[in-house]
Amino acid sequence: MRRHDSAVAEEQRFLDIATAQRDRLAAHLAAELAVPAEDATERARHRRLRRQYEELPADGLVFGRLDGRDGTVLHVGRAGIRDEDENADPLVIDWRAPAARPFYTATPVDRQGQARRRHVRTDGPVVVGVDDEPLDGTSTGDLVGEGALLSALNERRTGTMSTAISTLQREQDDIIRAEATGPLIVQGGPGTGKTVVALHRVAYLLFTHRRMAEQAVLVLGPSVRFLTYIAQVLPALGETAVVSATCDTLLPGAQVERTESRRVAEIKGRAAWQPALEAHVRSLLPRARELTLRWEGEAYVIGADVVAQMLASAVPGRSYHRARTAFAEQLFQVLAEAVAEQRAALLDEMEEGFEEILARFDRGGRPDGVRDGRSGSDVDGLMSEEEIEELRERIASHEVIGRFVESVWPTRDPADVLRYFLKNPAFLSAGEAALVAAEPGTWASSDLPLLDAVADLLGSVASPAAQGEFIADRARSQRDWVYGHVVIDEAQELSEMQWQMVLRRCPSRSITAVGDIDQAEAAHRHTSWAQAVHATLGDRWTAAELTICYRTPREVMALTGPVLERAGSRNSPPRAVRSSGIAPWERFAIADRLTDAAVEAVEELRKRWEGGTVGVVAPVARIDALLPVLEGVPVLTATQAKGLEWDAALVVDEAGIAAEPRGWNGLYVALTRCTQELGRLHVS
């Protein structure tokens, strides 16, 4: 005990030193930021200083220590803290730095030069405990810092996710630090830390690849509720160059207005829509034909062959509206040159028969042959290049010419184009086309990826610069923003057309997708990752797997085998490494008494887990009856509960959940939301 007290006191002394240095750095940065930035260079410097200021943590300053076999000591924290002596080694190393990696990966078998790992537990500025892990033994256990990890897992849930940088495990750290050179798809069952890995990978990538912060990172989640749950993690890690969204909120200016049948959602989610929409937008392009324009009372004819050349130059590689702009610019130039040529021809006609008289004049000079340096139509009637360019600008801004261009190549609204196409999607079978055509004109969830595709194919009529002081604000407001990296949580739910939405925003394919294919409940028919991504990624993706369940107790995971079997799973469930000591329990109630029984069970759970959280998962058909009587408690469908966790969970009417579409997958989700206690309320 005395040794433990001594270690706590030792770490408290160090934490006090680190805290004082952090405060000095914060004061220095605040003073620098208080000086107004007067030019672009100073504004760029301010952005760097602001990032440094934001990265200074309010807590979690130090959470670990590595004692090297050579006697070196490194302290690991949420952010790097340099020593007051700038020539000295850092006082605290950032958890993302290469030097910190042994804190997560060293084992007694693979010591990586380390003699001991110490987890430091703090409460604000106070060290409340340490867990020492010697690395000179022969243990091959799965867990790094087992005491600290299990202590964190046994804490009450607060309803929001916190960081886990002090308790990351080796297989998690391997994925967090993996290269971001292409799509990485991470399969992980319940409680394996998929979301933790995804978010900490964002923080790691932004730290390691500073230029990525200039493009921002997109985090896609399954629901707004889920995004609220994880909202504090990245800011706590000092990262702000992040845009969080769902597929339903990703397209600026569009929103889901109605629900739809699973059958129609499955049809609209197929990859075949992409080439069909591309063909439809191509069909809207003008065809080569002779064009007649009027300028200042004169008619000018542009032949069909010239128009064909203009189209061939304008269209390839451009969206509909950008091609329209390129075509219009060529048209303005051709018309300006035609006007100049016609003027020259008229001048030649007028001069015919007066050659001898005109020969006495030196074009560009006076009758006596003295040149005055002038040129252009004022001198010889021929327009100079400058005059032709001035004419082209007048043509381009002329209202009548603008209306002519609009008649030849009209601007298009993505919503109108898509609504027209949905009325006759000829590439579908007759029965499927009829189902789609019968849908109302408002948007359902599966329409938004199609609308996004059309908006991309049409392109913007104009591309205004994105507004906002912060990079995330600018990225969020601009549909065609290109992100440095995209993270997708619950990626198994994405349709093929939603994957297309992702690729448009990250053409580099720097993507991390995490999920559990066995928890898939979406309308698509994919039962493996290969099926889910083949249409968009082909075989060009890397697979990784999280195999250890940290959150869900063994007692609960023992129930999932038969459920996975009924769901048609091809995967082995993750191996639970902790026990809550509480066996799942069951109760039965007749249908008329089900809500009363649910209220009674929830009240018991809330008393047992006071200070923590309790959640209820039920079939869609039961939600409306349960919500009014269970105020203050999350009452969710299995789909809505995905990604969330509570200390205790009550699953109401398992049979009803299993009877829903892909219901066994949903039941797998429902059973695995708790960290401590699971109750099951059946309908008898």
Side-chain angles (χ1 to χ4, degrees):
M1 185 65 179
R2 262 181 269 174
R3 181 180 298 173
H4 180 270
D5 290 345
S6 174
V8 168
E10 179 185 18
E11 297 306 332
Q12 183 66 62
R13 286 192 295 273
F14 182 83
L15 180 59
D16 292 342
I17 294 170
T19 300
Q21 178 63 0
R22 188 251 345 247
D23 293 344
R24 283 191 291 270
L25 290 173
H28 172 73
L29 290 170
E32 292 281 326
L33 289 168
V35 179
E38 297 181 354
D39 55 36
T41 301
E42 280 298 302
R43 286 193 293 272
R45 179 172 174 271
H46 265 218
R47 285 194 293 271
R48 290 193 299 272
L49 293 174
R50 187 182 296 112
R51 179 178 176 84
Q52 293 174 30
Y53 185 82
E54 290 168 348
E55 286 181 343
L56 291 174
D59 55 20
L61 188 61
V62 178
F63 58 75
R65 167 175 158 168
L66 285 169
D67 289 67
R69 299 178 68 186
D70 60 359
T72 58
V73 174
L74 294 177
H75 279 86
V76 181
R78 187 166 291 181
I81 303 292
R82 65 175 184 265
D83 195 277
E84 197 167 7
D85 178 359
E86 294 190 357
N87 296 318
D89 291 333
L91 196 63
V92 180
I93 58 173
D94 192 295
W95 69 275
R96 297 163 288 193
R101 192 168 193 195
F103 184 77
Y104 302 105
T105 58
T107 67
V109 175
D110 179 18
R111 297 166 67 178
Q112 299 174 36
Q114 307 304 316
R116 182 181 67 181
R117 172 173 37 235
R118 170 177 286 176
H119 285 261
V120 181
R121 288 180 279 117
T122 60
D123 183 4
V126 179
V127 176
V128 296
V130 299
D131 295 291
D132 281 339
E133 187 180 0
L135 296 171
D136 54 0
T138 58
S139 169
T140 58
D142 295 309
L143 304 183
V144 170
E146 183 171 355
L149 173 64
L150 296 181
S151 175
L153 291 171
N154 285 322
E155 290 178 354
R156 292 287 196 268
R157 288 332 190 226
T158 64
T160 58
M161 178 176 280
S162 57
T163 66
I165 48 176
S166 63
T167 56
L168 293 171
Q169 300 297 296
R170 180 166 186 156
E171 69 174 11
Q172 296 174 327
D173 187 74
D174 287 343
I175 293 169
I176 288 169
R177 297 176 194 260
E179 288 296 319
T181 53
L184 175 66
I185 296 181
V186 182
Q187 162 65 29
T192 54
K194 299 183 293 296
T195 301
V196 163
V197 166
L199 296 178
H200 287 70
R201 178 161 168 76
V202 170
Y204 171 77
L205 291 174
L206 288 171
F207 173 83
T208 307
H209 306 285
R210 289 299 189 185
R211 292 195 63 183
M212 196 176 283
E214 298 172 8
Q215 296 176 273
V217 171
L218 173 64
V219 175
L220 276 180
S223 67
V224 173
R225 180 186 290 269
F226 174 83
L227 294 176
T228 301
Y229 171 63
I230 67 171
Q232 298 306 311
V233 175
L234 288 169
L237 294 171
E239 302 302 345
T240 58
V242 178
V243 173
S244 297
T246 69
C247 287
D248 287 350
T249 64
L250 191 53
L251 182 58
Q255 60 184 4
V256 174
E257 300 165 293
R258 62 180 176 86
T259 58
E260 63 189 336
S261 71
R262 288 178 65 86
R263 175 67 173 139
V264 173
E266 185 275 321
I267 293 169
K268 289 183 181 176
R270 298 174 190 169
W273 285 85
Q274 185 66 33
L277 290 169
E278 290 171 2
H280 178 62
V281 171
R282 280 197 302 272
S283 75
L284 303 177
L285 295 170
R287 301 291 180 260
R289 60 183 175 89
E290 184 178 274
L291 300 178
T292 302
L293 298 89
R294 300 195 69 81
W295 180 253
E296 295 182 342
E298 296 290 334
Y300 296 89
V301 177
I302 301 175
D305 56 340
V306 175
V307 174
Q309 293 174 8
M310 291 162 59
L311 288 170
S313 173
V315 170
R318 292 188 177 96
S319 66
Y320 175 94
H321 286 125
R322 288 189 179 178
R324 178 186 187 275
T325 299
F327 175 83
E329 288 173 351
Q330 293 183 71
L331 184 66
F332 303 150
Q333 184 66 34
V334 168
L335 178 57
E337 291 173 355
V339 171
E341 289 173 6
Q342 186 156 314
R343 287 185 179 179
L346 287 172
L347 181 63
D348 287 342
E349 287 183 23
M350 292 172 61
E351 291 177 349
E352 192 173 346
F354 296 94
E355 289 85 354
E356 278 189 38
I357 297 173
L358 292 171
R360 299 174 189 173
F361 291 82
D362 177 33
R363 289 186 175 183
R366 298 197 303 265
D368 59 8
V370 178
R371 297 186 63 85
D372 60 9
R374 293 183 299 157
S375 64
S377 57
D378 288 342
V379 177
D380 56 12
L382 299 177
M383 296 180 70
S384 66
E385 289 185 6
E386 291 79 6
E387 288 173 317
I388 293 174
E389 176 59 24
E390 182 183 340
L391 173 62
R392 192 202 69 80
E393 291 176 359
R394 286 197 293 124
I395 289 171
S397 61
H398 200 279
E399 184 179 349
V400 172
I401 298 297
R403 287 199 298 269
F404 179 84
V405 172
E406 182 68 19
S407 69
V408 173
W409 196 321
T411 55
R412 307 276 184 176
D413 177 68
D416 292 340
V417 171
L418 179 58
R419 287 191 179 102
Y420 178 84
F421 185 73
L422 291 174
K423 292 302 178 185
N424 184 27
F427 74 101
L428 296 174
S429 68
E432 291 175 340
L435 279 175
V436 170
E439 295 273 291
T442 53
W443 302 131
S445 179
S446 67
D447 289 314
L448 297 191
L450 307 184
L451 184 60
D452 188 67
V454 174
D456 182 69
L457 292 166
L458 291 178
S460 301
V461 178
S463 297
Q467 301 297 310
E469 180 183 359
F470 298 104
I471 190 75
D473 295 330
R474 299 201 296 274
R476 188 179 291 107
S477 65
Q478 194 166 322
R479 181 199 60 78
D480 55 358
W481 187 272
V482 174
Y483 289 90
H485 192 78
V486 176
V487 167
I488 312 168
D489 206 313
E490 303 293 347
Q492 75 278 357
E493 304 301 334
L494 267 61
S495 69
E496 291 169 339
M497 287 304 294
Q498 286 172 328
W499 271 103
Q500 291 282 2
M501 290 182 84
V502 173
L503 293 183
R504 277 190 283 277
R505 287 157 177 81
C506 192
S508 68
R509 300 191 172 205
S510 181
I511 298 167
T512 302
V514 301
D516 181 4
I517 203 69
D518 292 327
Q519 295 185 52
E521 295 180 89
H524 58 65
R525 301 170 182 172
H526 308 138
T527 57
S528 70
W529 285 112
Q531 291 175 339
V533 303
H534 181 75
T536 45
L537 302 182
D539 298 324
R540 293 178 296 170
W541 54 281
T542 302
E545 188 173 6
L546 294 167
T547 62
I548 300 173
C549 174
Y550 308 101
R551 178 190 69 210
T552 312
R554 291 191 190 99
E555 294 87 348
V556 174
M557 288 304 296
L559 300 174
T560 62
V563 176
L564 282 174
E565 187 176 343
R566 295 293 297 271
S569 171
R570 304 175 187 177
N571 301 306
S572 299
R575 180 166 49 86
V577 294
R578 58 182 283 270
S579 170
S580 68
I582 305 171
W585 49 265
E586 297 177 277
R587 292 181 187 173
F588 295 82
I590 61 173
D592 291 345
R593 287 272 304 149
L594 189 64
T595 55
D596 293 337
V599 170
E600 183 180 336
V602 166
E603 285 306 309
E604 292 176 12
L605 291 172
R606 293 177 79 173
K607 287 177 183 177
R608 279 200 289 276
W609 299 102
E610 186 176 358
T613 56
V614 175
V616 176
V617 185
V620 174
R622 303 279 184 195
I623 296 295
D624 286 345
L626 291 169
L627 276 172
V629 298
L630 292 174
E631 292 184 21
V633 175
V635 180
L636 308 173
T637 66
T639 300
Q640 293 168 336
K642 195 162 289 164
L644 305 180
E645 63 178 31
W646 308 291
D647 294 280
L650 178 68
V651 178
V652 177
D653 189 8
E654 283 187 14
I657 295 174
E660 294 176 335
R662 298 193 79 161
W664 291 102
N665 302 80
L667 184 56
Y668 182 49
V669 174
L671 292 173
T672 53
R673 295 307 94 198
C674 73
T675 64
Q676 303 292 344
E677 182 176 357
L678 172 67
R680 303 154 72 193
L681 181 57
H682 304 287
V683 181
S684 58

PDB file of all heavy atoms in Angstrom, residues 57-73:
ATOM      1  N   PRO A  57      -5.012  20.459 -23.404  1.00  0.00           N
ATOM      2  CA  PRO A  57      -6.172  19.852 -22.735  1.00  0.00           C
ATOM      3  C   PRO A  57      -6.472  20.483 -21.386  1.00  0.00           C
ATOM      4  O   PRO A  57      -5.574  20.905 -20.655  1.00  0.00           O
ATOM      5  CB  PRO A  57      -5.747  18.392 -22.561  1.00  0.00           C
ATOM      6  CG  PRO A  57      -4.256  18.440 -22.502  1.00  0.00           C
ATOM      7  CD  PRO A  57      -3.831  19.586 -23.378  1.00  0.00           C
ATOM      8  N   ALA A  58      -7.770  20.523 -21.071  1.00  0.00           N
ATOM      9  CA  ALA A  58      -8.176  21.006 -19.755  1.00  0.00           C
ATOM     10  C   ALA A  58      -7.973  19.935 -18.696  1.00  0.00           C
ATOM     11  O   ALA A  58      -7.687  20.227 -17.538  1.00  0.00           O
ATOM     12  CB  ALA A  58      -9.638  21.447 -19.788  1.00  0.00           C
ATOM     13  N   ASP A  59      -8.148  18.681 -19.089  1.00  0.00           N
ATOM     14  CA  ASP A  59      -7.879  17.572 -18.171  1.00  0.00           C
ATOM     15  C   ASP A  59      -7.270  16.429 -18.979  1.00  0.00           C
ATOM     16  O   ASP A  59      -7.080  16.535 -20.184  1.00  0.00           O
ATOM     17  CB  ASP A  59      -9.158  17.137 -17.440  1.00  0.00           C
ATOM     18  CG  ASP A  59     -10.273  16.781 -18.407  1.00  0.00           C
ATOM     19  OD1 ASP A  59      -9.981  16.504 -19.583  1.00  0.00           O
ATOM     20  OD2 ASP A  59     -11.444  16.782 -17.981  1.00  0.00           O
ATOM     21  N   GLY A  60      -6.965  15.332 -18.304  1.00  0.00           N
ATOM     22  CA  GLY A  60      -6.295  14.241 -18.997  1.00  0.00           C
ATOM     23  C   GLY A  60      -4.915  14.623 -19.484  1.00  0.00           C
ATOM     24  O   GLY A  60      -4.404  14.070 -20.459  1.00  0.00           O
ATOM     25  N   LEU A  61      -4.321  15.598 -18.801  1.00  0.00           N
ATOM     26  CA  LEU A  61      -3.027  16.113 -19.229  1.00  0.00           C
ATOM     27  C   LEU A  61      -1.976  15.008 -19.256  1.00  0.00           C
ATOM     28  O   LEU A  61      -1.152  14.928 -20.158  1.00  0.00           O
ATOM     29  CB  LEU A  61      -2.601  17.246 -18.288  1.00  0.00           C
ATOM     30  CG  LEU A  61      -1.378  18.045 -18.674  1.00  0.00           C
ATOM     31  CD1 LEU A  61      -1.583  18.725 -20.005  1.00  0.00           C
ATOM     32  CD2 LEU A  61      -1.055  19.071 -17.601  1.00  0.00           C
ATOM     33  N   VAL A  62      -2.011  14.157 -18.257  1.00  0.00           N
ATOM     34  CA  VAL A  62      -1.101  13.015 -18.177  1.00  0.00           C
ATOM     35  C   VAL A  62      -1.927  11.793 -17.784  1.00  0.00           C
ATOM     36  O   VAL A  62      -2.694  11.845 -16.831  1.00  0.00           O
ATOM     37  CB  VAL A  62       0.006  13.232 -17.121  1.00  0.00           C
ATOM     38  CG1 VAL A  62       0.905  12.005 -17.037  1.00  0.00           C
ATOM     39  CG2 VAL A  62       0.818  14.479 -17.432  1.00  0.00           C
ATOM     40  N   PHE A  63      -1.803  10.719 -18.546  1.00  0.00           N
ATOM     41  CA  PHE A  63      -2.517   9.492 -18.179  1.00  0.00           C
ATOM     42  C   PHE A  63      -1.641   8.251 -18.236  1.00  0.00           C
ATOM     43  O   PHE A  63      -2.088   7.162 -17.899  1.00  0.00           O
ATOM     44  CB  PHE A  63      -3.751   9.287 -19.057  1.00  0.00           C
ATOM     45  CG  PHE A  63      -3.443   9.222 -20.539  1.00  0.00           C
ATOM     46  CD1 PHE A  63      -2.858   8.103 -21.109  1.00  0.00           C
ATOM     47  CD2 PHE A  63      -3.766  10.281 -21.361  1.00  0.00           C
ATOM     48  CE1 PHE A  63      -2.585   8.041 -22.462  1.00  0.00           C
ATOM     49  CE2 PHE A  63      -3.498  10.236 -22.723  1.00  0.00           C
ATOM     50  CZ  PHE A  63      -2.907   9.106 -23.273  1.00  0.00           C
ATOM     51  N   GLY A  64      -0.394   8.421 -18.656  1.00  0.00           N
ATOM     52  CA  GLY A  64       0.449   7.244 -18.749  1.00  0.00           C
ATOM     53  C   GLY A  64       1.920   7.557 -18.619  1.00  0.00           C
ATOM     54  O   GLY A  64       2.352   8.715 -18.725  1.00  0.00           O
ATOM     55  N   ARG A  65       2.669   6.497 -18.391  1.00  0.00           N
ATOM     56  CA  ARG A  65       4.125   6.636 -18.246  1.00  0.00           C
ATOM     57  C   ARG A  65       4.777   5.366 -18.753  1.00  0.00           C
ATOM     58  O   ARG A  65       4.276   4.254 -18.538  1.00  0.00           O
ATOM     59  CB  ARG A  65       4.466   6.883 -16.785  1.00  0.00           C
ATOM     60  CG  ARG A  65       5.936   6.747 -16.425  1.00  0.00           C
ATOM     61  CD  ARG A  65       6.176   7.126 -14.994  1.00  0.00           C
ATOM     62  NE  ARG A  65       7.399   6.549 -14.460  1.00  0.00           N
ATOM     63  CZ  ARG A  65       7.956   6.892 -13.317  1.00  0.00           C
ATOM     64  NH1 ARG A  65       7.383   7.833 -12.563  1.00  0.00           N
ATOM     65  NH2 ARG A  65       9.063   6.312 -12.895  1.00  0.00           N
ATOM     66  N   LEU A  66       5.895   5.542 -19.440  1.00  0.00           N
ATOM     67  CA  LEU A  66       6.704   4.421 -19.914  1.00  0.00           C
ATOM     68  C   LEU A  66       8.081   4.504 -19.275  1.00  0.00           C
ATOM     69  O   LEU A  66       8.745   5.546 -19.351  1.00  0.00           O
ATOM     70  CB  LEU A  66       6.852   4.463 -21.439  1.00  0.00           C
ATOM     71  CG  LEU A  66       5.641   4.043 -22.280  1.00  0.00           C
ATOM     72  CD1 LEU A  66       5.872   4.413 -23.736  1.00  0.00           C
ATOM     73  CD2 LEU A  66       5.376   2.546 -22.144  1.00  0.00           C
ATOM     74  N   ASP A  67       8.488   3.419 -18.624  1.00  0.00           N
ATOM     75  CA  ASP A  67       9.833   3.320 -18.059  1.00  0.00           C
ATOM     76  C   ASP A  67      10.657   2.410 -18.959  1.00  0.00           C
ATOM     77  O   ASP A  67      10.387   1.197 -19.050  1.00  0.00           O
ATOM     78  CB  ASP A  67       9.769   2.754 -16.648  1.00  0.00           C
ATOM     79  CG  ASP A  67       9.169   3.739 -15.662  1.00  0.00           C
ATOM     80  OD1 ASP A  67       7.957   4.048 -15.790  1.00  0.00           O
ATOM     81  OD2 ASP A  67       9.898   4.206 -14.792  1.00  0.00           O
ATOM     82  N   GLY A  68      11.629   2.988 -19.662  1.00  0.00           N
ATOM     83  CA  GLY A  68      12.447   2.210 -20.569  1.00  0.00           C
ATOM     84  C   GLY A  68      13.453   1.342 -19.842  1.00  0.00           C
ATOM     85  O   GLY A  68      13.860   1.623 -18.706  1.00  0.00           O
ATOM     86  N   ARG A  69      13.865   0.299 -20.488  1.00  0.00           N
ATOM     87  CA  ARG A  69      14.883  -0.585 -19.906  1.00  0.00           C
ATOM     88  C   ARG A  69      16.214   0.132 -19.765  1.00  0.00           C
ATOM     89  O   ARG A  69      17.076  -0.289 -18.991  1.00  0.00           O
ATOM     90  CB  ARG A  69      15.033  -1.827 -20.783  1.00  0.00           C
ATOM     91  CG  ARG A  69      13.742  -2.647 -20.888  1.00  0.00           C
ATOM     92  CD  ARG A  69      13.895  -3.832 -21.800  1.00  0.00           C
ATOM     93  NE  ARG A  69      14.794  -4.833 -21.238  1.00  0.00           N
ATOM     94  CZ  ARG A  69      15.205  -5.928 -21.882  1.00  0.00           C
ATOM     95  NH1 ARG A  69      14.807  -6.130 -23.129  1.00  0.00           N
ATOM     96  NH2 ARG A  69      16.005  -6.788 -21.308  1.00  0.00           N
ATOM     97  N   ASP A  70      16.377   1.239 -20.531  1.00  0.00           N
ATOM     98  CA  ASP A  70      17.613   2.014 -20.442  1.00  0.00           C
ATOM     99  C   ASP A  70      17.528   3.125 -19.401  1.00  0.00           C
ATOM    100  O   ASP A  70      18.425   3.965 -19.307  1.00  0.00           O
ATOM    101  CB  ASP A  70      17.950   2.607 -21.808  1.00  0.00           C
ATOM    102  CG  ASP A  70      16.846   3.531 -22.334  1.00  0.00           C
ATOM    103  OD1 ASP A  70      15.821   3.684 -21.639  1.00  0.00           O
ATOM    104  OD2 ASP A  70      17.016   4.080 -23.438  1.00  0.00           O
ATOM    105  N   GLY A  71      16.432   3.158 -18.628  1.00  0.00           N
ATOM    106  CA  GLY A  71      16.289   4.152 -17.576  1.00  0.00           C
ATOM    107  C   GLY A  71      15.532   5.407 -17.973  1.00  0.00           C
ATOM    108  O   GLY A  71      15.262   6.262 -17.127  1.00  0.00           O
ATOM    109  N   THR A  72      15.187   5.543 -19.249  1.00  0.00           N
ATOM    110  CA  THR A  72      14.437   6.721 -19.678  1.00  0.00           C
ATOM    111  C   THR A  72      12.991   6.633 -19.175  1.00  0.00           C
ATOM    112  O   THR A  72      12.428   5.550 -19.017  1.00  0.00           O
ATOM    113  CB  THR A  72      14.421   6.842 -21.210  1.00  0.00           C
ATOM    114  OG1 THR A  72      13.847   5.649 -21.767  1.00  0.00           O
ATOM    115  CG2 THR A  72      15.826   7.023 -21.753  1.00  0.00           C
ATOM    116  N   VAL A  73      12.416   7.791 -18.939  1.00  0.00           N
ATOM    117  CA  VAL A  73      11.024   7.872 -18.493  1.00  0.00           C
ATOM    118  C   VAL A  73      10.280   8.828 -19.424  1.00  0.00           C
ATOM    119  O   VAL A  73      10.726   9.961 -19.646  1.00  0.00           O
ATOM    120  CB  VAL A  73      10.919   8.375 -17.037  1.00  0.00           C
ATOM    121  CG1 VAL A  73       9.456   8.598 -16.656  1.00  0.00           C
ATOM    122  CG2 VAL A  73      11.577   7.392 -16.086  1.00  0.00           C
TER     123      VAL A  73
END
